[in-house]
Amino acid sequence: MSARLVVIALDGADGGLVDRWSADGTLPALAALRARGASSRLSAPPGITDDGLWASFQYASGLGDHGRYHWRQRSRFGAVRKTYLDEDSRESFWNELSRREGHRVAVLDIPKCGRPRPLDGIHLADWLVHGRYARRPLSMPETLAEEVVERFGEPPPSRCGYEVAALSDPEVEEVTGHLRTSVGQKRTAGLHYLASEPWDLFMIGFKEAHCAGHHLWDLADAAHPEHDAERAERLGHPLRQIYRDLDAAVGDLVEAAGDGAKVVVFATTEMEPNGSLVHLMPEIVRRMNRHLDGGTMARMIRRIQTLSDRFPAGWPCEILPYNENCTALRVGPPPLPVFGYTRPNEALLDEIEAVLRDLVDVDTGRPVVAAIDRPSTREAGPRAVSLPDLLVRYEAGTFPRAVASSRLGVVEADRPDLRPGDHAPGGFLIGSPAVTAGVQSMQDIGPMAARVLRMSPL
């Protein structure tokens, strides 16, 4: 059996490493795909999370259209809950291909998806993914999840999380072993279901480059502040081992798909040394709100706060859930049940930006803010207003113990243990030019699949 179109997602695989290791023979399967096709970089909004990117992929739409920037967000009625629970009115592109165009579809572990829905085919979610939305694998048909776990095994233990102490050598070996086991499980399951029947669209996601990038990046990136070349050599270059396993799995799937299959491989983001002010931002925002709390605006705020306990302490600026290398801020009140979100005052945004850009590392004197974006006003679409008003991105590799500015004074706190790698804008796409033409971002992959299936013969 085979498939007309095979789409392989290497979640979090770094394009720079793939370039280098494809060129030097480390990744022969990906090198062969590039040689007979093409490789290009994908674009994305600045600082977007992998949750946002996967939503753009799933719904074939932009950030302002789907509105998902984190796995936990405030709904338009003010409650904070899992974001995908508010997406039941949206349909994934693969469900549309199945329901509207009659294609037979297999979707195996594409991450950050909503609950599987009925379709002509199979859909497995949250088995071996980074950042599960559900506690146990979900599937359609419902019996598939149990079948997969019984046949191919439970997920190996995972250390994935934001705050993780530096790994010892034995812990690195343990993490590497679990991730390599995970690649093997996904490879075996993918080959099994690919061979089970002919598919129009067969999609499979691998999480291991994502997890490894977060937790082993200091061993792979010579520019990382904590890089130790001797230790990386002693440990056998664990990130490279995992990429080799992923490459072998890609090669096996491509071979099993057959000569007539069209193949696309993609990744969501690049990786870079982590950098954060997560330990300092609560106090920074508290002082900034006090700095802003003057004149007419302050009187208005106090008046509103006496009428409702729904406003967080320290408004007008609230920290939203986000990744550790960015801080997301809501400027103004949280959503009201009747009116939803409101647009922030541009002058207030300007003032907050000026305050934040003034911050410097006390020990080095260097600025700590790399860039500030305004997603809620920059993005277009019906849900853009629900996005963060300000997205504050930090310099890679920066973990200051204290920052200072003329407006806020000195803010200091103990530095937390955070994973050494984090996401950077980017991502890549590998496939034949005829197939991948016009694909510039994650939201373009679904329409590409629809176009290919309409064009290719049955």
Side-chain angles (χ1 to χ4, degrees):
M1 300 297 179
S2 183
R4 295 164 62 198
L5 175 62
V6 176
V7 177
I8 303 172
L10 302 181
D11 185 14
D14 181 73
L17 293 184
V18 170
D19 287 346
R20 186 200 318 167
W21 290 337
S22 294
D24 69 10
T26 301
L27 306 178
L30 289 173
L33 285 174
R34 291 159 67 111
R36 68 173 190 251
S39 179
S40 60
R41 288 295 194 267
L42 299 176
S43 63
I48 187 173
T49 63
D50 59 315
D51 294 86
L53 288 167
W54 284 114
S56 290
F57 172 78
Q58 179 180 0
Y59 301 128
S61 63
L63 184 60
D65 183 61
H66 60 72
R68 189 203 298 176
Y69 60 85
H70 191 264
W71 67 274
R72 290 178 67 249
Q73 293 176 210
R74 286 189 187 276
S75 73
R76 64 184 300 270
F77 301 109
V80 176
R81 65 180 194 154
K82 291 181 179 179
T83 311
Y84 78 90
L85 296 175
D86 293 321
E87 296 173 354
D88 284 345
S89 63
R90 306 191 68 91
E91 190 164 39
S92 64
F93 77 83
W94 54 81
N95 277 84
E96 290 189 351
L97 286 175
S98 174
R99 181 173 58 82
R100 295 183 182 179
E101 303 192 25
H103 294 303
R104 186 72 172 163
V105 174
V107 182
L108 300 180
D109 255 8
I110 297 298
K112 309 290 186 179
C113 290
R115 291 168 290 202
R117 302 181 185 183
L119 78 169
D120 184 7
I122 59 174
H123 182 188
L124 173 71
D126 283 344
W127 176 41
L128 300 170
V129 298
H130 177 92
R132 296 187 189 96
Y133 280 176
R135 293 184 178 181
R136 296 286 298 173
L138 303 175
S139 66
M140 189 58 64
E142 294 181 0
T143 56
L144 175 66
E146 182 179 350
E147 172 189 309
V148 167
V149 171
E150 182 176 336
R151 183 186 291 264
F152 305 106
E154 293 277 358
S158 174
R159 290 179 175 267
C160 289
Y162 291 110
E163 295 195 27
V164 180
L167 300 180
S168 65
D169 286 3
E171 288 171 332
V172 168
E173 292 171 348
E174 177 189 30
V175 167
T176 303
H178 288 324
L179 291 175
R180 298 188 71 186
T181 296
S182 176
V183 175
Q185 290 174 282
K186 186 68 63 66
R187 169 194 168 276
T188 305
L191 291 171
H192 170 79
Y193 289 107
L194 179 60
S196 66
E197 62 174 285
W199 302 100
D200 294 306
L201 173 63
F202 184 92
M203 296 198 301
I204 185 168
F206 288 85
K207 74 159 187 174
E208 293 75 21
H210 187 148
C211 297
H214 277 312
H215 298 295
L216 304 173
W217 192 248
D218 55 324
L219 295 170
D221 183 1
H224 195 285
E226 305 300 326
H227 181 67
D228 183 339
E230 187 277 330
R231 184 179 184 230
E233 181 72 27
R234 185 176 72 250
L235 292 171
H237 297 282
L239 197 63
R240 189 167 63 191
Q241 291 179 26
I242 292 165
Y243 274 54
R244 279 176 170 163
D245 290 352
L246 289 168
D247 181 79
V250 169
D252 290 343
L253 288 165
V254 170
E255 182 179 2
D259 293 337
K262 294 178 171 59
V263 178
V264 173
V265 179
F266 74 93
T268 46
T269 64
E270 309 294 316
M271 298 297 292
E272 67 181 6
N274 205 357
S276 187
L277 269 69
V278 66
H279 52 305
L280 300 170
M281 281 305 296
E283 178 61 17
I284 289 172
V285 169
R286 189 187 71 80
R287 294 191 191 185
M288 182 166 59
N289 283 335
R290 188 172 62 191
H291 167 76
L292 298 169
D293 189 14
T296 304
M297 182 175 293
R299 290 192 295 273
M300 178 182 69
I301 292 169
R302 284 192 290 272
R303 172 62 177 162
I304 293 174
Q305 286 178 326
T306 62
L307 300 177
S308 172
D309 61 0
R310 293 172 50 79
F311 294 87
W315 187 75
C317 206
E318 175 194 9
I319 298 177
L320 302 177
Y322 214 77
N323 282 353
E324 70 270 34
N325 63 344
C326 295
T327 288
L329 298 175
R330 172 86 62 232
V331 179
L336 294 172
V338 176
F339 302 107
Y341 291 94
T342 58
R343 294 284 183 186
N345 179 280
E346 291 291 327
L348 182 57
L349 293 181
D350 291 341
E351 175 65 14
I352 293 171
E353 278 204 33
V355 172
L356 293 173
R357 291 184 185 279
D358 196 31
L359 292 168
V360 297
D361 187 324
V362 166
D363 294 323
T364 67
R366 296 175 181 171
V368 293
V369 172
I372 301 177
D373 299 293
R374 300 184 180 185
S376 67
T377 53
R378 170 177 42 80
E379 294 294 323
R383 302 194 183 188
V385 70
S386 69
L387 301 174
D389 297 316
L390 292 174
L391 191 59
V392 186
R393 293 186 286 142
Y394 307 127
E395 294 287 351
T398 299
F399 284 93
R401 65 169 184 85
V403 296
S405 77
S406 58
R407 295 177 176 95
L408 304 184
V410 177
V411 179
E412 55 187 327
D414 293 335
R415 285 178 285 209
D417 291 319
L418 293 176
R419 51 198 184 179
D422 216 330
H423 301 289
F428 64 82
L429 183 76
I430 300 173
S432 71
V435 171
T436 61
V439 178
Q440 299 179 338
S441 65
M442 292 284 284
Q443 71 191 68
D444 299 326
I445 297 176
M448 175 271 295
R451 173 174 52 83
V452 170
L453 292 179
R454 293 182 192 122
M455 292 173 54
S456 62
L458 294 173

